[in-house]
Amino acid sequence: MSSSWGNSIRISIFGGSHTQAIGVNIEGLPAGERIELPEILAQMARRAPGQDKTATTRKESDQPQVLCGLLDDVTTGAPLCAIIENTNQRSKDYSQLKVLPRPGHADYTAEVKYGGHQDVRGGGHFSGRLTAPLVFAGAVARQILARRGITVGAHVLKIAGVKINDQPFHPTEVSRELLDRLSSEYFPVINPEARESMRQSIEKARLSQDSVGGIVECAILGMPVGAGDPIFDGAENRIASIVFGIPAVKGVEFGAGFSVADSRGSENNDPMYVSEDGSVRTRTNNAGGILGGITNGMPLIFRAAFKPTSSISREQDTVDLSTHTNAKLVVTGRHDPCVVPRAAPVVEAAASIAALDLLAQSRML
Ligand SMILES: Cc1cc2nc3c(=O)[nH]c(=O)nc-3n(C[C@H](O)[C@H](O)[C@H](O)COP(=O)(O)O)c2cc1C
C-alpha cells in the first residue's frame, strides 16, 4: 500500500478514520523555516466537517500534535511528524459494509485486495478524513512557499445542477489578493453570489437522499520559470499525481485542458511578449503555466473534478459477498452530501506540496 508521495519533499500519510489517530510524516523540508501553528490550524479548520448543511454533521476537532521536526516553531531538517487524534467515531454504522459493499466506494475493491483484513470503519484508510493530514502538510509547504513569493488559492468553480456557477480564474491576471482571500474562506468562490445557488443545489440533493459532485479550480502564482522535468517528472505529472491522491477526484486538467481538442494551433498557442518588467510572458494561458513539463512563469492553473459522494442514503443495488447474490443496500452513517466545498482547501494543500517538491527537485528552493 503506497501512501507516500514526493521526490524531494516526501510525505507519508497514515491512519484510518476510526484508528486512534491519523497523521503525516514530512521529509526533506529545508531547515530553519519558521512554521506558524495558527496558520496550520486555520487551514485545517477550513476542511473540518460540521460547518454548514453542505457537509456531514460529524464534528471533528482536527487538533494536530507535532511529535518532532520543529524546535521552537522552526524546522530542524529532521522529519516533521504530526498526528491528529480521532475523537468522533461511530463504528457500528459501518459493520454491514464488509458484506454489502457501497456502490461507488472502495469497499469492494479493498475487500478483494486485502482479503477482508482492511479496516472498513468510517472508510478506514480510504476515508476523506485522511485529507486532514494532507492539509497539515500543505499548510507547512504554503508557509515556505510564501517566503519565496509563491501563493496558492482555489475556489469551487462548479457544483452539479447549478445554472450559474462561479467565474473561472482569469488565465493571465490572477491577483495575490484574490488567492489570499480564497485561501482564508470556507466554501471559497470568486463571485459570492454563486455560493448561494451552489449551496441550494447541495441541499436539494441532500433532501432527496442523494449527492452532487463538482469542480475545484486552483492557481499557483509566482512559480519561477524552470521548475519540473520532461517526460515523467513534469509539473503536470507531479500535480496530477498528488491531486489524484485526494479521494473522489476523477479528473485533472491544466490550462485549456480537454478543450484543446477542439481548437487549432493558431488559437491554442499562447502568443509570447516581453513585458514592461523585462520578463517573458504570454497573452493567453492555454498552457496553464506549463510547457514540456516545465513551468513557464505564467499562473499555473488546473482544475480537479470530484464525483458525487458515493454514500447516499437512498436504496441502491449491491451484492452480498457472503452469499454471492444480488442485494439491496441503504447506507447509514453521517456523510457529506457534496465533498467539493471541503475539498477546496485540500486541493490547495496538494498544490502547495507539489509546488514545493517541484522547486526542491529542480534545486530552486
Ligand atoms: C473532504 C472529503 C470528504 C469526503 N467525505 C465522504 C463521505 O462523507 N462519504 C463518502 O462516501 N465519501 C466521502 N469522500 C470520498 C471517499 O473518500 C472516496 O470516494 C472513496 O475513498 C473512494 O475513492 P475514489 O472515489 O477516489 O475512488 C470524501 C472525500 C473528500 C475529499
Side-chain angles (χ1 to χ4, degrees):
M1 192 185 269
S2 173
S3 300
S4 301
W5 182 94
N7 285 340
S8 302
I9 308 291
R10 292 176 300 283
I11 61 163
S12 183
I13 305 270
F14 54 84
S17 188
H18 293 197
T19 57
Q20 192 183 337
I22 52 177
V24 61
N25 192 47
I26 316 169
E27 285 181 75
L29 291 174
E33 296 283 343
R34 175 163 291 279
I35 304 297
E36 304 289 350
L37 195 61
E39 288 186 28
I40 295 180
L41 295 179
Q43 287 307 320
M44 295 188 66
R46 295 176 65 216
R47 191 219 66 95
Q51 305 197 33
D52 72 5
K53 277 189 184 167
T54 63
T56 167
T57 53
R58 285 187 317 265
K59 288 259 186 234
E60 287 153 356
S61 68
D62 281 2
Q63 191 68 35
Q65 295 170 43
V66 176
L67 302 184
C68 54
L70 290 181
L71 194 60
D72 298 331
D73 298 334
V74 175
T75 55
T76 60
L80 196 170
C81 185
I83 59 166
I84 303 147
E85 278 192 43
N86 288 324
T87 52
N88 193 335
Q89 305 101 318
R90 282 196 204 163
S91 297
K92 63 176 179 352
D93 288 337
Y94 297 89
S95 46
Q96 64 172 346
L97 303 178
K98 279 186 74 67
V99 182
L100 301 172
R102 282 169 293 179
H105 213 290
D107 305 327
Y108 172 67
T109 49
E111 177 73 20
V112 174
K113 188 171 176 72
Y114 302 115
H117 297 290
Q118 77 284 3
D119 184 356
V120 289
R121 299 168 304 160
H125 196 60
F126 297 91
S127 169
R129 176 138 181 79
L130 273 288
T131 57
L134 191 65
V135 170
F136 177 97
V140 170
R142 185 196 287 272
Q143 295 183 41
I144 300 173
L145 291 171
R147 276 180 214 119
R148 277 99 180 146
I150 297 166
T151 314
V152 180
H155 67 120
V156 179
L157 177 64
K158 178 186 167 76
I159 295 289
V162 176
K163 281 203 184 79
I164 301 167
N165 279 287
D166 202 15
Q167 65 194 71
F169 282 125
H170 189 288
T172 57
E173 305 296 333
V174 185
S175 76
R176 282 185 203 281
E177 292 70 34
L178 173 63
L179 297 189
D180 285 343
R181 168 170 76 78
L182 294 174
S183 61
S184 69
E185 284 179 1
Y186 179 75
F187 207 142
V189 282
I190 296 176
N191 173 9
E193 283 170 21
R195 192 186 288 120
E196 203 35 53
S197 32
M198 290 174 168
R199 276 212 170 105
Q200 281 170 14
S201 172
I202 297 171
E203 181 61 0
K204 224 164 116 188
R206 190 180 72 84
L207 291 174
S208 55
Q209 298 178 299
D210 215 336
S211 61
V212 281
I215 297 176
V216 173
E217 186 180 46
C218 183
I220 311 176
L221 216 59
M223 279 297 270
V225 185
D229 291 283
I231 315 284
F232 299 125
D233 261 336
E236 284 148 327
N237 310 53
R238 305 305 304 153
I239 292 169
S241 151
I242 192 167
V243 172
F244 273 120
I246 303 171
V249 170
K250 285 308 247 186
V252 179
E253 64 174 10
F254 293 84
F258 269 60
S259 74
V260 296
D262 287 322
S263 66
R264 294 187 162 201
S266 54
E267 296 161 329
N268 187 60
N269 292 347
D270 298 311
M272 303 173 75
Y273 70 100
V274 177
S275 71
E276 277 171 19
D277 67 7
S279 59
V280 174
R281 292 181 56 84
T282 58
R283 298 211 185 273
T284 54
N285 188 14
N286 294 316
I290 305 167
L291 288 168
I294 301 168
T295 52
N296 67 357
M298 294 298 291
L300 199 160
I301 297 177
F302 72 91
R303 286 169 291 282
F306 286 80
K307 71 186 194 186
T309 319
S310 63
S311 301
I312 53 175
S313 56
R314 63 168 69 176
E315 189 178 77
Q316 299 175 81
D317 286 342
T318 186
V319 289
D320 185 323
L321 294 175
S322 65
T323 56
H324 210 70
T325 53
N326 296 326
K328 299 283 181 194
L329 170 70
V330 175
V331 177
T332 55
R334 297 163 293 172
H335 296 277
D336 293 289
C338 179
V339 307
V340 182
R342 293 184 58 211
V346 183
V347 171
E348 282 179 15
S352 303
I353 299 162
L356 194 67
D357 187 45
L358 280 164
L359 290 179
Q361 172 188 321
S362 301
R363 298 184 198 288
M364 300 174 93
L365 202 56

